[in-house]
Amino acid sequence: MDRRLLLAISLSFALLLAYQVFMGIYFPPAPPRAENPATTSQTQTPAQPATAPAAPEVTKSPSTSPGTISAPASGQITPSGGGETFSFGNELLSGSVSQEGARLVKTRFLRFHESIEAESHPVAFLNDAGAEPFVGETGYLAQDGIKVPGRTTRWESVSDSSTPSGRILHLRWDNGQGQVFEKILSLEAKSYLLTVTDRVSNQGAAPAPLFHYAQFLRVQPKGDANKQFYDFQGPMGFLNGTRIQHEYADVIAKEPPVDKSAEGWVGFSDRYFLAALVPGDAVTSKRFYFDYDAPSHRVGVVSPKLDVAAGGKQENVTRLFIGPKEIRTLESLNLHLERSIDYGWFHFLAVPLVDLMLFFNDFLGNYGLAIILLTFVIKLLFYPLANKSYRSMSAMKKLQPRMEELKRLYGDDKQRMNQEMMRLYQEEKVNPLGGCLPIIIQIPVFFALYKVLYLSVEMRHAPFFLWIHDLTAMDPFYVLPLLMGVSMFIQTKLNPTPADPVQAKVMLFLPVIFTVMFLTFPSGLVLYWLVNNVLSIIQQSYIMKQTT
């Protein structure tokens, strides 16, 4: 009975992984919906970029009441081209802001490269050029005819300075109507957090009603069309204490969702990297939006109406995190950005596992060794359960001849045979399910660790030894998957042989199934499975010697 349950669990797991791989390869998600003719005529092409509106003029949504704005008006992402840009950076991040529109048009992660090759370039995340532009912008929207800076506004540089604590850019623009707009960008040393301060001085005779906004605009990356099920990638946020995510296709097909919250963040998440905006004001309720402005997806926030009195000033702060999803970095900011990492149902198990893995790497300096040590620790924690499981399997294996005899005697009478089997179990004090329950309990831990090893940017391009140069990539020579298959076959031979010949053949074939599936798995995950199998073989062999 326990063999059947174990077989069912193994086959279910194998079928689940095989199904996900098959669907990801042969039935990828549909690409973004094509724009309608009216929109297509405005879409930029490499030869002739579309012209953006002179300013993000306000257009009221039907669902928007007077005195409110849902989001900035439509406008395409136009490349900065040969226009002047203002650069900023530190030892972790470099980027540039366009003079025209004061948009964040480029960022580079200096410690993360596109590949493991020595001449590889740093990862470019935000980029206004190419087929998949991705930019960020902040500013003010206005009603009542007030002129606000837009995407074609040319800003004046007031100062550009480096200090021991970071880099500061100060830009200015005068609308000629009595309002002066300023934008101050600061980046601290050793940080991925960019602080943008928008300031307006009203030197006119009447109050100036304005709305502050901040947003990211992104054309869906083509790579996302073949993404696997392991992690969400796309527009997401954390609002009102809840993690929110919207598939790219859902944002196109459905009515743009708008959320109200006093604090939180929204942005775009990839497997390893995140761009998120966090309003500085955590008291006033604001409108957070996710929508589609063909061909770009947008996520952003709009403040309530701000009445800038004559002779007064208004200042709005937005923090932009643009960087890798390193869990320690995200947690240290206390902005709930760590919720961008999707560990799934077993999040509560995954977090201590990743903390433990990082702790081991701090001492060993090698994530491969950290995985091996983490496997030892997990095996040690589950030793009592595994011990009980292996003892039960050993006892079942000793009863195999007597069970075969009962099957021969009562094979035609299933009820009598089951009664005799239960009597045999009671006489020998053997629980037929004793070998399965400990295994079932360990399944959540495996899935949590699977997510940790797959999603941890800390292991990206992290080498192990010899031919393993990247623990997040597959083994180029398939050595680890083949060794894992061999270890799984040895485990199968140590277990009791099923009475049913068909089950016995399936159990022998399972190592082949898992080996084929693991050929393309991250080598770090295969390393964990291999070490776990080896430790299980040692433990099971030791127990079998004790019980014989």
Side-chain angles (χ1 to χ4, degrees), residues 132 220-227 233:
E132 301 170 357
Q220 179 182 355
K222 292 180 181 177
D224 286 349
N226 295 318
K227 74 179 180 68
Q233 299 179 30

Side-chain angles (χ1 to χ4, degrees), residues 191-206:
S191 175
Y192 293 101
L193 195 65
L194 180 67
T195 301
V196 181
T197 303
D198 288 299
R199 181 187 302 155
V200 56
S201 302
N202 184 13
Q203 301 169 4

Side-chain angles (χ1 to χ4, degrees), residues 491-529:
Q491 271 190 301
T492 303
K493 301 301 289 183
L494 289 175
N495 294 334
T497 303
D500 187 344
V502 176
Q503 288 187 29
K505 291 180 180 179
V506 172
M507 292 301 295
L508 286 176
F509 193 65
L510 271 180
V512 178
I513 297 175
F514 274 78
T515 300
V516 172
M517 288 191 306
F518 274 58
L519 289 176
T520 58
F521 274 31
S523 54
L525 180 66
V526 183
L527 176 64
Y528 159 75
W529 195 292

Side-chain angles (χ1 to χ4, degrees), residues 137-167:
E137 60 183 12
T138 67
Y140 290 100
L141 308 172
Q143 293 175 327
D144 302 330
I146 296 177
K147 212 174 160 185
V148 294
R151 295 187 177 102
T152 58
T153 300
R154 297 186 66 81
W155 290 73
E156 173 191 356
S157 175
V158 177
S159 65
D160 181 354
S161 60
S162 296
T163 66
S165 60
R167 185 71 179 268

Side-chain angles (χ1 to χ4, degrees), residues 227-255:
K227 74 179 180 68
Q228 300 297 321
F229 70 104
Y230 313 111
D231 182 34
F232 172 80
Q233 299 179 30
M236 68 175 306
F238 187 79
L239 304 172
N240 298 310
T242 303
R243 189 176 188 270
I244 298 173
Q245 57 190 45
H246 300 288
E247 296 285 350
Y248 283 107
D250 291 342
V251 175
I252 298 174
K254 299 178 182 179
E255 190 73 19

